[in-house]
């Protein structure tokens, strides 16, 4: 008996290496090529058929792709900082929690005198009373009074020299010849003054000379540095006008603790003292008036973030607003709640463009741009066709031909693609 011949095999298909794995996608694309709609009918004893996959034609586009890093943040007013009274006295008035204090308004009262708020980067550390005093603290006073509408006159420019009066040094007691003997002191003193007057007659006024062992009072020349202010006569007159309007003693001088200097307007977060307490203690805690978002980013993530980076913030209710990275903490902290295995974090501050009225505190999502790939060819992810041997292809809209592609970055539903014949505006098939 002749040996049984193996069944004849059909010749290999031309595109067998590009077989589509999703069978439903094959049927859908076949239906598009034939120009008909189809459905699978099952008997009454079977469940309803799955709906067909809808496909459409799209063009390959040239665009910029960027990945997104999503972090959880907390909306609030930022970290509260304590404010301590700057001079001795008794606290007689304190603001309410939640109050907003702006430039020139009283932050608290000591001995029933207001302590107004000035904006600046350092506290006043000395009494400003002597004309010609030069320093950054003087500049703070000048800047604030000018902002409050007081004319301060011209301020010397950096590099100019100004005269600063100097106090006379100590003098030694008069010599024995200038002192009268015991019992004759007053008479001798009078005779000496009379003799000095006669000697000076006709010769003009004699220049004052220091007594033996003393020093003469001389002025000094000081160079104005960048950021310095000068306590000029005009500025001292402006101080007097401001003191009168603020119901302060009109002296033309500002002492340590007469004003509270903070970086800007503040919101009172909490009151930590009572009326009647000593002023040289923490009185209130304050925050900025602008709402910010604080994100605790992992140290590795924070290292890729830059001040000024734009972000998208998703608020409760899925409302989104634009934001900006305004500060990146330099201190690395360990989350105690995460245990010893928790990753160290750094605080990242985000400011938002919206005023966020009605929301004082909330958990939010912050989306930051990660890696960016500019000017690449991209298609929707649904246009990728998985090949049985691995990799991906695109199905061309004109005739159903397939083109193998190499994928790159995936971002926001798009994927970077490269390959022979893949060009901008090439029409391909994708699922919708």
């Amino acid at each position: 008996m002749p040996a049984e011949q193996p069944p004849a095999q059909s010749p290999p298909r031309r595109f067998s290496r590009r077989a589509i794995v999703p069978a439903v996608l094959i049927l859908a694309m076949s239906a598009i090529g034939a120009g008909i709609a189809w459905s699978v009918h099952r008997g009454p004893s079977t469940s309803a058929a799955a709906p067909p996959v809808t496909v459409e034609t799209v063009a390959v586009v040239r665009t910029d792709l960027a990945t997104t890093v999503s972090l959880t943040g907390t909306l609030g007013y930022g970290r509260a900082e304590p404010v301590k009274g700057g001079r001795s006295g008794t606290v007689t008035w304190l603001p309410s929690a939640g109050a907003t204090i702006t430039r020139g308004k009283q932050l608290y009262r000591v001995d029933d005198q207001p302590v107004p708020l000035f904006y600046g980067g350092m506290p006043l550390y000395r009494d400003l009373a002597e004309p010609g005093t030069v320093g950054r603290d003087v500049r703070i006073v000048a800047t604030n009074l000018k902002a409050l509408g007081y004319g301060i006159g011209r301020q010397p420019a950096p590099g100019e020299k100004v005269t600063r009066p100097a106090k006379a040094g100590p003098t030694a007691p008069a010599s024995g010849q200038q002192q009268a003997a015991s019992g004759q002191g007053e008479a001798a003193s009078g005779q000496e003054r009379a003799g000095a007057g006669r000697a000076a007659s006709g010769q003009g006024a004699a220049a004052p000379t220091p007594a033996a062992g003393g020093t003469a009072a001389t002025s000094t020349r000081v160079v104005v540095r960048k950021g310095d202010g000068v306590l000029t006569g005009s500025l001292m007159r402006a101080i007097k006008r401001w003191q009168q309007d603020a119901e302060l003693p009109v002296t033309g001088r500002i002492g340590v603790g007469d004003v509270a200097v903070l970086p800007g307007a503040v919101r009172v977060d909490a009151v930590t003292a009572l009326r009647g307490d000593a002023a040289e203690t923490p009185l209130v805690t304050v925050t900025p008036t602008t709402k910010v978002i604080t994100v605790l980013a992992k140290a590795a993530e924070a290292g890729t973030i830059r001040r000024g980076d734009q972000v998208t913030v998703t608020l409760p209710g899925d409302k989104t607003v634009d934001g900006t990275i305004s500060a990146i903490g330099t201190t690395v902290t360990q989350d105690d709640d995460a245990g010893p295995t928790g990753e160290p974090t750094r605080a990242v501050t985000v400011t938002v463009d919206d005023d966020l009225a009605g929301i004082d505190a909330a958990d939010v999502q912050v989306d930051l741009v990660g890696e960016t790939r500019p000017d690449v060819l991209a298609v929707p992810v649904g246009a990728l066709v998985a090949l049985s041997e691995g990799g991906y292809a695109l199905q061309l809209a004109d005739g159903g031909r397939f083109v193998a592609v190499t994928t790159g970055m995936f971002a926001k539903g798009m994927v970077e693609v490269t390959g022979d014949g893949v060009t901008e505006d090439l029409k391909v098939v994708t699922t919708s």
Side-chain angles (χ1 to χ4, degrees):
M1 177 183 295
E4 183 179 352
Q5 297 294 326
Q9 297 181 355
S10 60
R13 295 178 59 188
R14 184 177 180 182
F15 295 106
S16 62
R17 290 178 54 82
R18 294 177 180 176
I20 304 173
V21 173
V24 176
L25 187 57
I26 294 177
L27 297 176
M29 292 177 178
S30 299
I32 292 297
I36 61 173
W38 59 273
S39 63
V40 178
H41 175 73
R42 298 183 182 272
S45 61
T46 61
S47 60
V53 176
T54 304
V55 295
E56 60 184 25
T57 299
V58 296
V60 177
V61 296
R62 186 172 293 279
T63 185
D64 298 340
L65 291 182
T67 58
T68 300
V69 178
S70 295
L71 302 174
T72 299
T74 303
L75 173 66
Y77 287 94
R79 181 180 176 182
E81 299 288 346
V83 175
K84 186 175 70 171
R87 61 181 173 87
S88 60
T90 301
V91 176
T92 53
W93 178 86
L94 291 164
S96 301
T100 298
I101 312 297
T102 58
R103 190 198 317 259
K105 303 300 183 181
Q106 64 178 2
L107 184 58
Y108 53 89
R109 295 178 75 94
V110 176
D111 295 340
D112 204 27
Q113 290 184 3
V115 178
L117 174 64
F118 275 10
Y119 298 169
M122 60 180 288
L124 302 187
Y125 60 93
R126 58 179 173 173
D127 291 346
L128 302 179
E130 295 295 331
T133 301
V134 179
R136 291 188 297 158
D137 49 350
V138 181
R139 182 64 175 267
I140 290 173
V141 173
T143 300
N144 279 273
L145 291 184
K146 183 176 181 180
L148 290 171
Y150 295 92
I152 63 172
R154 177 185 175 275
Q155 280 284 295
E160 290 189 39
K161 292 184 178 181
V162 297
T163 300
R164 183 169 63 186
K167 296 180 180 180
T171 57
S175 65
Q177 294 177 350
Q178 292 172 314
Q179 295 179 353
S182 176
Q184 302 176 353
E186 289 298 326
S189 177
Q191 293 172 359
E192 288 174 4
R193 286 196 296 271
R198 289 192 297 269
S201 177
Q203 298 177 5
T209 58
T215 57
T218 57
S219 60
T220 57
R221 300 281 286 175
V222 179
V223 177
V224 179
R225 299 170 300 179
K226 184 178 180 180
D228 281 347
V230 181
L231 194 59
T232 61
S234 296
L235 179 55
M236 297 183 75
R237 288 190 290 273
I239 292 174
K240 288 182 177 180
R241 293 193 297 272
W242 166 73
Q243 288 172 330
Q244 183 174 6
D245 293 342
E247 299 181 353
L248 290 166
V250 181
T251 61
R253 64 185 292 275
I254 294 183
V256 174
D258 285 350
V259 296
V261 183
L262 296 173
V266 296
R267 170 184 171 274
V268 179
D269 183 70
V271 179
T272 57
L274 298 173
R275 288 179 295 176
D277 285 351
E280 292 182 304
T281 58
L283 306 178
V284 294
T285 59
V286 298
T287 67
T289 58
T290 304
K291 295 173 185 175
V292 297
I293 295 167
T294 303
V295 177
L296 293 181
K298 296 178 182 178
E301 293 171 336
T304 64
I305 301 172
R306 298 289 179 268
R307 184 176 179 180
D309 286 352
Q310 301 300 303
V311 301
T312 300
V313 179
T314 303
L315 302 170
D318 291 334
K319 177 184 177 182
T320 60
V321 295
D322 295 329
T324 305
I325 302 295
S326 58
I328 302 172
T330 57
T331 302
V332 178
T333 59
Q334 185 78 29
D335 186 0
D336 295 336
D337 295 335
T341 60
E343 295 189 43
T345 60
R346 291 168 60 184
V348 177
T349 303
V350 178
T351 56
V352 293
D353 302 333
D354 194 285
D355 61 3
L356 303 179
I359 305 177
D360 286 343
D363 291 333
V364 299
Q365 176 179 305
V366 179
D367 294 329
L368 304 92
V369 175
E371 181 185 358
T372 301
R373 296 292 297 273
D375 197 32
V376 297
L377 296 175
V379 295
V381 174
L384 294 179
V385 179
L387 301 177
S388 60
E389 67 271 23
Y392 295 94
L394 299 178
Q395 183 181 22
L396 304 186
D398 54 348
R401 194 165 54 89
F402 291 93
V403 176
V405 293
T406 301
T407 59
M409 175 182 289
F410 288 76
K412 295 184 178 179
M414 300 291 287
V415 57
E416 175 188 0
V417 292
T418 56
D420 293 339
V422 179
T423 59
E424 186 176 1
D425 296 329
L426 178 68
K427 298 295 190 296
V428 299
V429 176
T430 183
T431 58
S432 59

